[in-house]
Amino acid sequence: MARTPQLVINFNKTRRGDVGLVGGKNASLGEMISTLASKGIRVPAGFATTADAFRDYLSSNGLNAAIADHLDALENGRISLSKAGETIRRLILDGDWPAATAQAILTQYRALGDAAKDTDMPVAVRSSATAEDLPDASFAGQQETFLNVTGGPALLDACKRCYASLYTDRAISYRQIQGFAHDQVALSVGVQQMVRSDTGGSGVMFSIDTESGFPDVVLINAAWGLGENVVQGAVDPDEYQVFKPFLDDPALVPILAKQLGAKKIKMIHDRDGTPRNVPTSKAEQQSFVLGDAEIMALARQARIIEDHYGQPMDMEWARDGAAGPLYIVQARPETVQSRLDMGTLKSYVVANPGRLLLTGLSVGSAAVAGRVSIIESARDIDRFVEGSVLVTSTTDPDWVPIMKRAAAIVTDHGGRTSHAAIVSRELGLPAIVGCGNATHILHDEQDVTVSCAGGEEGVVTEGISDVSVTDEALENLPLTKTKVMMNLANPSAALRWWRLPVDGVGLARMEFVINSAVRVHPMALAHIDKVSDADARTQIEQLTAGYNSMPDYFVDTLSRGLSRIAAFCYPKPVIVRMSDFKTNEYANLLGGRDFEPHEENPMLGFRGASRYYSDNYRDGFALECQAIARLRGQMGFDNVIVMIPFCRTPEESDKVLAVMAANGLERGRDGLEVYVMCEIPANVIRAEEFAARFDGFSIGSNDLTQLTLGIDRDSDALAPLFREDDPAVLWMIEAVIRKAHAAGTKVGFCGQAPSNDPTYAQYLVKYGIDTISVTPDSFVQVLRNVAKAEKS
């Protein structure tokens, strides 16, 4: 007996296994409505037309043969892609609805309106291809979506336009690239109650870090208004990152990053209901779309959805009004990072880069050199030169045919979840998005190097640089008794190293985060009235806008920056060194010149521990302590250990520990460990006294060498004499290890020597060092040298 075709089905009757019936997008919506509502996942109600309805529409209008003929002509080169697509779409749009299908759609629409007590309820009408959102391919953005559709006639017209969009140029091209037969793909139309995000906000969310593949974060992008601008990369959105392992504890707020986007436009509904873009207000541009509670709520929903599907997910969300509920409006499998070979680490190095031209958000970790091809409109894509660097304002699915022929992609606008970013990851291309003015700065046929190898900030430099790449099979790395840790300064690069078998972070440099992220002298934030430079005051006020107080800005920015480093290897130890600027370096921070003395020899001057208890910096150090207390307490990173640099005497260490305790960092309380840098001969000579006050030593070989040999480490004239393997320096290292171990105290080495000369590790193993911390680029070689030294 012939099967009676099912034409329309309510979302609550579908499951994720119904891809062949209603497409991946609609099957996933039904799955969430049916199974996750009880867990707090809110999805707008709706229904879907089926693949049967689509095939019946084509058959009733006699379109199958005509579509096949035009696709065959395209395949054999008799007509162009644009001609084939345009003709097929016109055939579909000129067709008539079979009476049964039209009646089924209108009946479901009325039922949806009755349930919401709104006869002509606005709905979102979305396309869902029956081959989309598979584990190995994402058809996202290939077909059309129509928003704020009201009334039966408008709904039927929108559904017909969705059908036609199965044959847009980009959709035809994408199926050819992925190897899908055109006649095996049908189209389902999802009709959902409209979320009024035009008066609220919306965006995209991933349950995995899209750049590094780090599985323990949720990445959220947000903009004002409808979400199309975020998806297409037409707006530079806010970006938030949340650490997933702490989401079960309601007392913690593990938001690792909050980056304010420009958000210069938003999409709203015009008077006739059609969407249009309008400029955002200055207040909107300077405000985060989501508050902390909303960020945490979305992150928890992302994890629930990921746990249910058993794989990383790519989701779209929308907020109904300015302060209304948050909805999940789409969820599909993440198809790039989740499929990469996690057992291999690929590293890129750019040698001798030219003049810096542009910066933006990096996509991927690769680097490539090539020639620029600027294409500002999809109408001009025929001008693109294959194998060149595509530079454009933004991209949408119409650009896919040339994106796959590019060596790299650079855009003016967009965030990490924009179309350009998603497609670049899928194609394995380095991309830099959100540069702001790439199409203005660069020119056609210009030689450039595009590098995403340095962390979250991608750079475009002048000229063709040498780019080298190495592959490392992680399963071949040896196990060692001596712990090998990593030195990190740049939070934006931290997550990319999560696959390496590091034993923690032996040195996280606080001053780097202050210099790159905070940018303001802490004393200037504590005492803005003492800042005499009017321009500096203006910049400080702009940076701290939106915070309850200027000190809050310091604590928030510093704690979030350090949290990225603390997260990538949690729960392994992360040793954060308190600020170790010299006075001339502090003075270069905004507002710093009013608080720093001029010194002839800053290297041996007012630095390190001596600052922390001094009235000249005590209030600034208090802010550093508050940031660490927040990092360990409110954010949950109790793996953070504090380290005090350049501590000249045990008596000085007593003063520092007392100031720390007064600011919420009491050694031993809540498991807090405090280490001291060993970089002054006095630290070795009086090692037993320091060991009684600290939980560990960390040897800084640069300063220990210059103070042992009496050589300025920055002196070109004395450079040949500056040797970290000088017998006097090695004696110092061996002595402090021996004395510390006798006192039951741990000793690590965080100096540059093993990174510059991996064989240096052999000395340290011989002396019995507990940990060696090195730069990421030398980690693998040092690990192998440690293993070799231990065997010998």
Side-chain angles (χ1 to χ4, degrees):
M1 180 181 292
R3 180 177 66 89
T4 301
Q6 188 173 15
L7 302 174
V8 177
I9 184 169
N10 195 285
F11 280 154
N12 61 20
K13 299 292 178 56
T14 63
R15 296 293 187 275
R16 59 176 153 170
D18 293 327
V19 174
L21 180 66
V22 294
K25 186 181 302 177
N26 290 334
S28 183
L29 289 171
E31 176 77 15
M32 290 189 291
I33 287 174
S34 303
T35 62
L36 296 181
S38 61
K39 296 183 178 181
I41 304 301
R42 186 183 285 109
V43 178
F47 62 92
T49 66
T50 65
D52 289 337
F54 175 77
R55 294 189 176 101
D56 184 51
Y57 182 93
L58 297 186
S59 178
S60 297
N61 287 282
L63 299 179
N64 289 309
I67 291 173
D69 287 345
H70 282 87
L71 291 174
D72 183 67
L74 168 65
E75 189 71 24
N76 291 297
R78 298 197 303 272
I79 61 175
S80 67
L81 173 63
S82 60
K83 182 64 176 176
E86 180 184 7
T87 304
I88 295 171
R89 293 194 298 274
R90 177 46 53 194
L91 289 171
I92 293 173
L93 291 172
D94 287 343
D96 296 317
W97 280 107
T101 305
Q103 185 58 46
I105 292 172
L106 295 175
T107 298
Q108 282 282 354
Y109 176 59
R110 284 193 292 269
L112 194 62
D114 290 344
K117 298 180 180 179
D118 186 350
T119 305
D120 287 329
M121 184 179 70
V123 290
V125 182
R126 305 179 189 275
S127 306
S128 181
T130 58
E132 72 177 358
D133 300 337
L134 301 178
D136 58 349
S138 171
F139 281 68
Q142 299 306 316
Q143 286 82 43
E144 299 291 353
T145 292
F146 302 96
L147 302 176
N148 207 42
V149 177
T150 303
L155 173 59
L156 289 174
D157 180 64
C159 289
K160 189 183 291 188
R161 285 189 284 165
C162 284
Y163 279 0
S165 75
L166 187 62
Y167 293 96
T168 59
D169 297 356
R170 62 186 182 244
I172 295 171
S173 175
Y174 193 82
R175 287 196 294 275
Q176 289 174 328
I177 294 169
Q178 294 291 336
F180 286 92
H182 297 290
D183 61 357
Q184 297 301 306
V185 181
L187 194 123
S188 165
V189 180
V191 180
Q192 273 184 296
Q193 183 175 346
M194 186 72 199
V195 178
R196 292 304 306 271
S197 59
D198 57 311
T199 60
S202 54
V204 179
M205 174 167 65
F206 286 82
S207 65
I208 188 173
D209 182 56
T210 55
E211 302 316 313
S212 68
F214 183 53
D216 285 343
V217 297
V218 174
L219 173 70
I220 303 170
N221 275 183
W224 302 110
L226 303 173
E228 191 70 6
N229 283 335
V230 178
V231 175
Q232 300 299 346
V235 68
D236 300 321
D238 293 345
E239 182 171 298
Y240 319 112
Q241 284 187 342
V242 184
F243 192 56
K244 281 193 293 191
F246 293 165
L247 288 174
D248 284 334
D249 190 336
L252 300 181
V253 186
I255 301 174
L256 305 183
K258 287 176 66 175
Q259 182 174 324
L260 191 68
K263 307 184 298 291
K264 291 187 176 180
I265 57 172
K266 65 178 178 180
M267 187 175 287
I268 64 169
H269 295 307
D270 212 342
R271 294 172 185 172
D272 62 358
T274 59
R276 72 181 179 102
N277 276 318
V278 298
T280 50
S281 66
K282 289 184 179 179
E284 288 172 320
Q285 293 173 23
Q286 295 170 3
S287 301
F288 287 111
V289 174
L290 296 174
D292 286 1
E294 292 174 312
I295 295 169
M296 294 295 294
L298 277 175
R300 291 189 174 100
Q301 291 188 56
R303 195 184 60 170
I304 290 169
I305 294 169
E306 178 185 62
D307 289 347
H308 179 77
Y309 283 85
Q311 64 189 108
M313 297 295 288
D314 166 1
M315 295 146 282
E316 294 181 28
W317 61 271
R319 183 176 61 204
D320 196 0
L326 295 164
Y327 288 89
I328 302 297
V329 296
Q330 284 191 41
R332 61 180 75 91
E334 193 276 340
T335 59
V336 178
Q337 287 292 347
S338 55
R339 296 178 59 220
L340 293 178
D341 179 8
M342 297 300 181
T344 302
L345 183 72
K346 191 181 292 288
S347 298
Y348 292 80
V349 175
V350 177
N352 303 315
R355 180 172 62 93
L356 178 65
L357 300 175
L358 285 168
T359 63
L361 299 174
S362 65
V363 176
S365 59
V368 68
R371 190 155 287 179
V372 168
S373 184
I374 296 181
I375 307 292
E376 299 200 52
S377 169
R379 295 189 301 271
D380 300 325
I381 60 176
D382 291 340
R383 290 182 43 247
F384 181 73
V385 179
E386 185 163 355
S388 61
V389 176
L390 172 61
V391 178
T392 185
S393 178
T394 186
T395 69
D396 61 36
D398 288 325
W399 292 72
V400 171
I402 67 166
M403 293 174 74
K404 66 187 180 70
R405 294 159 44 207
I409 297 169
V410 179
T411 69
D412 288 340
H413 305 295
R416 295 181 208 283
T417 59
S418 64
H419 176 268
I422 291 172
V423 173
S424 296
R425 289 187 204 103
E426 209 168 291
L427 297 175
L429 298 175
I432 303 177
V433 299
C435 295
N437 57 353
T439 54
H440 178 71
I441 297 294
L442 303 178
H443 61 80
D444 269 331
E445 301 186 21
Q446 181 178 10
D447 287 338
V448 298
T449 300
V450 178
S451 175
C452 300
E456 290 189 354
E457 184 178 73
V459 298
V460 180
T461 54
E462 192 171 48
I464 303 294
S465 301
D466 293 328
V467 178
S468 60
V469 58
T470 57
D471 288 307
E472 187 65 50
L474 300 182
E475 64 180 12
N476 297 332
L477 295 180
L479 298 175
T480 60
K481 178 182 177 183
T482 307
K483 295 184 182 302
V484 181
M485 306 172 81
M486 191 176 287
N487 292 339
L488 285 176
N490 186 355
S492 69
L495 299 186
R496 70 169 47 204
W497 304 111
W498 70 273
R499 293 187 184 93
L500 285 177
V502 300
D503 289 305
V505 175
L507 175 62
R509 297 178 174 90
M510 179 184 287
E511 61 270 12
F512 185 95
V513 182
I514 294 175
N515 191 52
S516 62
V518 179
R519 298 172 50 201
V520 185
H521 195 290
M523 289 294 286
L525 293 167
H527 301 283
I528 188 64
D529 56 304
K530 295 183 180 178
V531 176
S532 59
D533 187 324
D535 288 341
R537 290 185 67 151
T538 298
Q539 291 183 64
I540 293 170
E541 288 165 358
Q542 290 172 344
L543 285 171
T544 58
Y547 285 88
N548 293 328
S549 70
M550 290 184 177
D552 284 349
Y553 163 77
F554 182 92
V555 173
D556 183 77
T557 306
L558 179 57
S559 59
R560 289 196 202 284
L562 293 171
S563 72
R564 308 281 294 286
I565 298 174
F568 97 96
C569 64
Y570 184 86
K572 295 173 182 175
V574 171
I575 302 172
V576 176
R577 185 177 69 189
M578 305 303 275
S579 68
D580 192 27
F581 285 123
K582 286 74 176 175
T583 50
N584 58 323
E585 296 168 331
Y586 270 115
N588 288 329
L589 294 170
L590 284 172
R593 300 200 180 279
D594 291 299
F595 299 96
E596 296 298 331
H598 172 73
E599 295 184 308
E600 292 299 328
N601 189 356
M603 187 74 74
L604 296 179
F606 188 46
R607 60 174 288 200
S610 62
R611 298 180 65 91
Y612 304 157
Y613 56 88
S614 166
D615 289 341
N616 292 331
Y617 190 72
R618 184 190 296 265
D619 293 342
F621 184 64
L623 298 182
E624 294 183 26
C625 292
Q626 290 169 35
I628 296 294
R630 182 182 176 201
L631 179 65
R632 287 178 48 85
Q634 184 180 344
M635 300 184 76
F637 291 102
D638 54 8
N639 60 325
V640 167
I641 294 168
V642 172
M643 184 157 66
I644 305 302
F646 225 78
C647 190
R648 292 170 169 92
T649 69
E651 294 75 21
E652 187 171 55
S653 65
D654 291 335
K655 296 179 181 179
V656 172
L657 291 169
V659 173
M660 288 176 58
N663 286 285
L665 292 181
E666 182 179 351
R667 179 189 170 209
R669 186 175 180 180
D670 297 323
L672 174 65
E673 292 187 4
V674 183
Y675 284 20
V676 65
M677 289 287 291
C678 177
E679 51 196 338
I680 303 169
N683 300 140
V684 179
I685 296 166
R686 303 182 69 180
E688 294 89 350
E689 296 173 81
F690 281 104
R693 292 161 168 84
F694 294 100
D695 300 287
F697 291 88
S698 186
I699 299 168
S701 59
N702 280 346
D703 275 348
L704 186 60
T705 299
Q706 78 167 346
L707 294 173
T708 299
L709 299 179
I711 296 173
D712 181 352
R713 69 189 194 193
D714 296 327
S715 170
D716 292 335
L718 300 176
L721 296 174
F722 188 89
R723 296 184 56 89
E724 290 163 305
D725 60 354
D726 184 276
V729 179
L730 295 177
W731 182 92
M732 288 282 184
I733 293 171
E734 183 180 15
V736 76
I737 293 173
R738 176 171 32 84
K739 292 181 178 183
H741 284 174
T745 303
K746 295 168 284 189
V747 186
F749 189 99
C750 66
Q752 191 66 23
S755 298
N756 294 338
D757 176 15
T759 59
Y760 197 89
Q762 296 175 9
Y763 292 118
L764 302 176
V765 171
K766 176 183 175 182
Y767 300 151
I769 199 80
D770 296 302
T771 64
I772 299 174
S773 189
V774 297
T775 53
D777 58 326
S778 63
F779 174 84
V780 170
Q781 188 58 45
V782 171
L783 184 67
R784 289 199 171 113
N785 274 277
V786 169
K788 188 184 300 183
E790 289 181 347
K791 285 182 180 179
S792 63

